[in-house]
Amino acid sequence: FMKPGEVLIGNLPTGSGKSLLFQWPILKDKFYKGLTLVVVPTISLALDQERRINDLLKKNKITFNQRFAYYSGLNENERQIIKTNIRENRQGILFTSPEMVIDSLLPSLYRAVEGGSLRYFFIDEAHLLADWGDSFRTDYQKLAAVRNGLLEATKGQQFKTILLSATFNSVNLNLIDNLFRPIEKIHFLSSIMLRPEPKYYVAKFDSKEQKFTALINILNNVPRPCIIYFTEPDDAERCKDLIKKNGFD
């Protein structure tokens, strides 16, 4: 319900429906009422959100024949189709990275705002504007300047900006206030809820052999299915072989 050109900060817990905010426009209005641009931090998130959109469109019997994730793994023909769809107001929704927004996609986005067809500018995991943007992947903070440029070039009704996260803190919010000013056009929505937190147990080992032995013992006692994280791909491959050898799927 906010006015065109304004900003909404959505501080919403995981599982509370943040994704529905950018899924709803395409479910409601299909592909021709304007573009919902969603900036996400990783390719895996872009592809996961693309999969969810595909599932939702199929479930709602909405016909489509296009990609909804723009990333480095696409071939040149796929990229050109998405850019053309943006310029001609046929894309509907697109998930991509900050780097793609400020570089490859930018000319097409300017064509979109000149035609008044950019409706929503989402930044998902927007706490990364502060956590990453000043030293790592600085293109995150450049999104604010790109947004301002697109707003100035807009002919017709300006798009709305939505910044989403489950982990905003005071540093994040102060930076957003400065990057997306004027402050009177920034709205804040926060949903606070109690939820169970994980328990942490820490153990040190003298060797990887001891660590893998302990891991097998843990797998015999924790709820399954479960996820095991590694920092080294070789360790992950070794673990896969070991857990299969010990009778786990």
Side-chain angles (χ1 to χ4, degrees):
F1 296 106
M2 65 183 179
K3 296 177 182 178
E6 295 188 339
V7 179
L8 173 65
I9 302 171
N11 184 46
L12 302 171
T14 301
S16 62
K18 290 193 295 295
S19 297
L20 181 61
L21 292 177
F22 47 74
Q23 292 167 351
W24 174 244
I26 193 170
L27 291 175
K28 177 177 177 290
D29 299 321
K30 314 300 189 292
F31 297 94
Y32 300 102
K33 291 292 185 70
L35 173 66
T36 297
L37 180 68
V38 187
V39 183
V40 294
T42 65
I43 291 174
S44 60
L45 273 176
L47 293 174
D48 182 56
Q49 291 292 356
E50 179 184 51
R51 177 188 57 77
R52 293 186 186 187
I53 287 292
N54 287 338
D55 292 343
L56 285 169
L57 293 178
K58 290 174 182 175
K59 182 178 180 180
N60 288 274
K61 297 181 173 57
I62 299 173
T63 303
F64 65 97
N65 184 28
Q66 62 198 81
R67 296 296 306 266
F68 300 111
Y70 188 95
Y71 60 102
S72 58
L74 296 180
N75 61 48
E76 186 57 31
N77 182 58
E78 290 173 315
R79 291 188 182 205
Q80 289 302 323
I81 289 173
I82 291 174
K83 290 177 183 178
T84 300
N85 286 342
I86 292 173
R87 293 194 296 269
E88 298 180 0
N89 194 19
R90 297 198 305 263
Q91 181 61 37
I93 188 169
L94 185 66
F95 303 95
T96 191
S97 66
E99 291 80 4
M100 293 297 180
V101 169
I102 72 166
D103 187 9
S104 178
L105 286 172
L106 196 55
S108 298
L109 292 173
Y110 268 97
R111 286 284 296 276
V113 296
E114 288 167 3
S117 62
L118 179 59
R119 295 178 71 189
Y120 301 101
F121 189 109
F122 279 86
I123 302 177
D124 198 15
E125 307 296 348
H127 61 278
L128 296 176
L129 287 161
D131 294 350
W132 284 2
D134 59 343
S135 58
F136 173 67
R137 293 183 69 180
T138 54
D139 290 336
Y140 254 98
Q141 290 188 7
K142 294 176 185 176
L143 288 172
V146 167
R147 168 192 172 267
N148 291 340
L150 291 172
L151 281 173
E152 291 176 4
T154 299
K155 296 176 181 177
Q157 184 166 283
Q158 292 184 321
F159 58 88
K160 300 176 182 180
T161 303
I162 300 94
L163 310 173
L164 299 174
S165 178
T167 55
F168 283 123
N169 58 37
S170 59
V171 173
N172 306 148
L173 296 175
N174 287 336
L175 179 64
I176 288 171
D177 285 346
N178 283 303
L179 291 177
F180 292 86
R181 60 181 56 201
I183 190 75
E184 60 268 18
K185 291 189 176 182
I186 301 177
H187 307 278
F188 182 68
L189 172 66
S190 186
S191 174
I192 306 300
M193 58 184 290
L194 293 174
R195 54 181 177 170
E197 294 294 337
K199 292 182 179 180
Y200 292 89
Y201 300 91
V202 179
K204 293 184 178 182
F205 302 97
D206 294 327
S207 66
K208 282 189 176 180
E209 285 69 25
Q210 290 182 8
K211 184 159 64 174
F212 278 110
T213 298
L215 177 59
I216 297 301
N217 289 334
I218 290 170
L219 287 176
N220 280 301
N221 292 282
V222 297
R224 297 187 299 274
C226 66
I227 301 175
I228 306 169
Y229 292 93
F230 292 91
T231 55
E232 298 293 335
D234 288 345
D235 287 344
E237 290 290 342
R238 180 179 173 188
C239 176
K240 181 185 73 172
D241 294 338
L242 187 62
I243 61 178
K244 283 185 174 181
K245 181 179 179 182
N246 280 272
F248 297 101
D249 293 331

